Amino acid sequence: MSQTTVAGTPGHAASAAEGTHLRRVLGVPSLVLFGLVYMVPLTVFTTYGIVTELTGGRVPLAYAITLVAMFFTARSYARMAAAYPYAGSAYVYAQRSFGPGVGFLAGWSLMLDYLFLPMINYLVIGIYLNAAFPAVPQWVFILVAIALVTVLNVVGILSVARANFVIIAVQALFIVAFVALSLVSIGGTGQVDLLAPFAGDGSVEGTGVLFAGAAVLCLSFLGFDAVSTLAEEAKEPTRSVPRAIMITTIAAGVIFIGLSFLSQLAFPSNAFTDVDSAALDVMGAAGGQFLAIFFTAAYIAGATGSALTSQASVARILYAMGRDRVLPRAMFGRLSERFRTPVVAILVVSAVSLFAIVIDLGLLVEMISFGALIAFSVVNLSVLKHYFVDRRERNGAAAVVNNLVLPLIGFGLTVWLWTSLSPRTFVVGLIWLALGLVLLGIVTRGFRRPVPMLDLREDGSVDDGDDHDSATAAAAPSGGRVQG
């Protein structure tokens, strides 16, 4: 972020800019690693048992359907990230395209999965470590993980980025070992049906269950959304963030399909010892006790990394909404003077994550997908509104395809997946949206006042309304504010 110097007060202006804005330190490799660690390449095994039972042993096919839908949505995120390179993700995109009211509801929906995603990581850490060390209660592992992740996030985004390299390396080593041992195990059976992971085991039939499974698997792809939340900490955000979004989505999709394909060949059954920790049955069949232990270590590392990155992302969305005065600004819209991180937002996410001690894994998975799919739908429509309607980029076939056809395809596929979720998901999700409307009513004093809207500038800065930012505001170039 460039610093603004005003005659007579250079130190004050620099200090103000430095104290209220996030640091631009991340390039494309760091952003891609952030996205992949957020997704966790081994996240296949988080819902493996649930989706195997749901689809009748067709997890790879369900992942392929999800990847197609997510490709179009990731492309929409990339385009909106280029147009509005700011923290806030779907919240900012919807706000600038459809107005602050829609933006708030999009951000509120996205908050559902962002608040729950750290929770799911803590929960699976507890599940697998408790399976490895039954004498230690599951909640102990959850509390230790929350404390560790909170400290790293408070220290700053660079500590998260550095940890990501180690975490992704551990998972990469495990994937190599898993592929090698699975191939040996599969080859040793003498009879391999390579189409079985796509044909299923016959326990359930029809395409409806495939789309239901694909809807659940949307949570696996939240990493590309997470990349967009780091736009204010990325170098050259209008170029690096869109590239990182697409690379992350495609790379993760290939990994997910490949791992689930090998898993169902190695263990062609849905008769799991425990559906929540079904991966341990797969590992035992593919590589015995050694692979099961290696998997637990790699998976815990991956879940910790995902908790790190997901907590960082949701804290920045809370920061953007607090800076915008949609949430209490004194709590959420401030950065720590020492660490330049949204410390209060990070601590709030940690407190919410304590529910991992009591919540059900199946419901948690479904709720994350519910919030994500609403946000994905809004972002697809934001591309159409911003480029096709507002900027009138519709001359020629290429412009029509890019700005109308492709985002509409992404929107249609997302809605299809969204309607495939279970009824209980809609009950909880609609309650969450109702709470958002109540909060919006409070902020706007019974909808009599306009919804606060973030003032974005073309130089990449944000006018957050602080008096100490008056020097920066005065020095901004004329016409530098982006109008909604």
Side-chain angles (χ1 to χ4, degrees):
M1 184 72 65
S2 59
Q3 297 177 355
T4 304
T5 304
V6 178
T9 60
H12 173 75
S15 175
E18 197 59 28
T20 59
H21 301 304
L22 299 164
R23 293 173 176 170
R24 294 198 179 277
V25 294
L26 303 177
V28 172
S30 293
L31 290 169
V32 170
L33 278 174
F34 183 95
L36 289 176
V37 172
Y38 188 102
M39 290 181 178
V40 188
L42 301 186
T43 197
V44 171
F45 301 110
T46 300
T47 56
Y48 182 81
I50 295 171
V51 179
T52 297
E53 289 188 346
L54 184 61
T55 62
R58 292 177 286 177
V59 179
L61 188 53
Y63 261 119
I65 293 171
T66 311
L67 176 59
V68 171
M70 292 302 100
F71 176 84
F72 288 100
T73 298
R75 187 178 180 280
S76 291
Y77 267 90
R79 300 206 67 203
M80 294 309 294
Y84 298 111
Y86 306 95
S89 185
Y91 166 61
V92 168
Y93 308 152
Q95 183 194 72
R96 307 313 294 186
S97 299
F98 296 104
V102 175
F104 172 82
L105 291 177
W108 185 255
S109 298
L110 190 62
M111 192 68 64
L112 184 65
D113 55 271
Y114 270 119
L115 278 173
F116 280 12
L117 199 60
M119 199 186 303
I120 198 172
N121 284 296
Y122 298 131
L123 178 55
V124 296
I125 286 172
I127 288 172
Y128 280 97
L129 284 180
N130 178 251
F133 306 99
V136 181
Q138 183 173 309
W139 62 266
V140 173
F141 295 116
I142 291 174
L143 289 179
V144 171
I146 291 174
L148 174 63
V149 167
T150 300
V151 170
L152 288 174
N153 265 311
V154 166
V155 170
I157 196 66
L158 279 178
S159 69
V160 176
R162 291 177 184 129
N164 287 347
F165 283 99
V166 177
I167 291 165
I168 206 72
V170 171
Q171 292 186 81
L173 286 174
F174 169 78
I175 289 172
V176 171
F178 173 71
V179 170
L181 291 174
S182 294
L183 291 175
V184 171
S185 174
I186 294 165
T189 62
Q191 296 179 343
V192 181
D193 182 1
L194 296 179
L195 296 179
F198 299 99
D201 56 19
S203 59
V204 294
E205 301 290 343
T207 58
V209 293
L210 282 173
F211 278 93
V216 170
L217 294 175
C218 285
L219 73 89
S220 300
F221 287 87
L222 283 173
F224 69 74
D225 183 282
V227 171
S228 72
T229 68
L230 297 180
E232 290 184 41
E233 291 160 279
K235 304 171 186 176
E236 299 183 279
T238 57
R239 297 181 61 189
S240 59
V241 174
R243 289 179 181 177
I245 287 172
M246 298 310 298
I247 293 171
T248 299
T249 302
I250 296 171
V254 171
I255 292 171
F256 296 155
I257 293 170
L259 288 179
S260 58
F261 178 77
L262 282 177
S263 295
Q264 300 212 264
L265 289 179
F267 189 77
S269 171
N270 59 11
F272 303 116
T273 304
D274 182 350
V275 70
D276 287 345
S277 57
L280 294 178
D281 293 318
V282 175
M283 300 308 144
Q289 187 67 16
F290 162 76
L291 192 61
I293 293 172
F294 192 1
F295 164 76
T296 299
Y299 188 75
I300 296 305
T304 303
S306 182
L308 271 169
T309 51
S310 57
Q311 188 184 58
S313 293
V314 69
R316 280 148 182 79
I317 293 176
L318 288 170
Y319 165 66
M321 297 179 80
R323 185 175 59 183
D324 207 357
R325 294 182 175 84
V326 173
L327 295 177
R329 187 160 186 249
M331 286 183 61
F332 297 102
R334 307 280 182 180
L335 297 178
S336 162
E337 289 293 332
R338 179 178 179 184
F339 299 110
R340 302 291 185 263
T341 54
V343 172
V344 173
I346 291 169
L347 294 176
V348 167
V349 176
S350 296
V352 172
S353 296
L354 292 173
F355 283 102
I357 295 173
V358 297
I359 201 166
D360 171 67
L361 178 61
L363 177 61
L364 191 54
V365 166
E366 291 174 355
M367 293 316 306
I368 292 171
S369 295
F370 179 90
L373 288 169
I374 291 180
F376 292 171
S377 299
V378 172
V379 173
N380 278 305
L381 292 178
S382 294
V383 172
L384 188 155
K385 176 68 163 53
H386 177 75
Y387 288 99
F388 192 79
V389 177
D390 295 341
R391 295 182 55 171
R392 298 180 179 274
E393 294 184 11
R394 45 193 171 191
N395 294 326
V400 171
V401 169
N402 285 326
N403 302 326
L404 178 64
V405 176
L406 295 182
L408 278 179
I409 292 173
F411 174 74
L413 290 172
T414 301
V415 170
W416 194 352
L417 293 176
W418 187 56
T419 57
S420 299
L421 293 170
S422 69
R424 72 169 179 172
T425 307
F426 282 91
V427 172
V428 179
L430 291 175
I431 291 173
W432 177 261
L433 289 178
L435 290 174
L437 285 172
V438 170
L439 178 58
L440 190 59
I442 294 172
V443 170
T444 59
R445 304 290 178 87
F447 301 98
R448 292 191 298 269
R449 294 184 178 182
V451 181
M453 190 166 184
L454 200 61
D455 191 357
L456 308 177
R457 298 178 178 187
E458 290 176 353
D459 65 354
S461 65
V462 179
D463 182 5
D464 57 9
D466 268 1
D467 292 336
H468 66 250
D469 272 345
S470 58
T472 305
S478 176
R481 297 183 181 183
V482 179
Q483 300 299 320

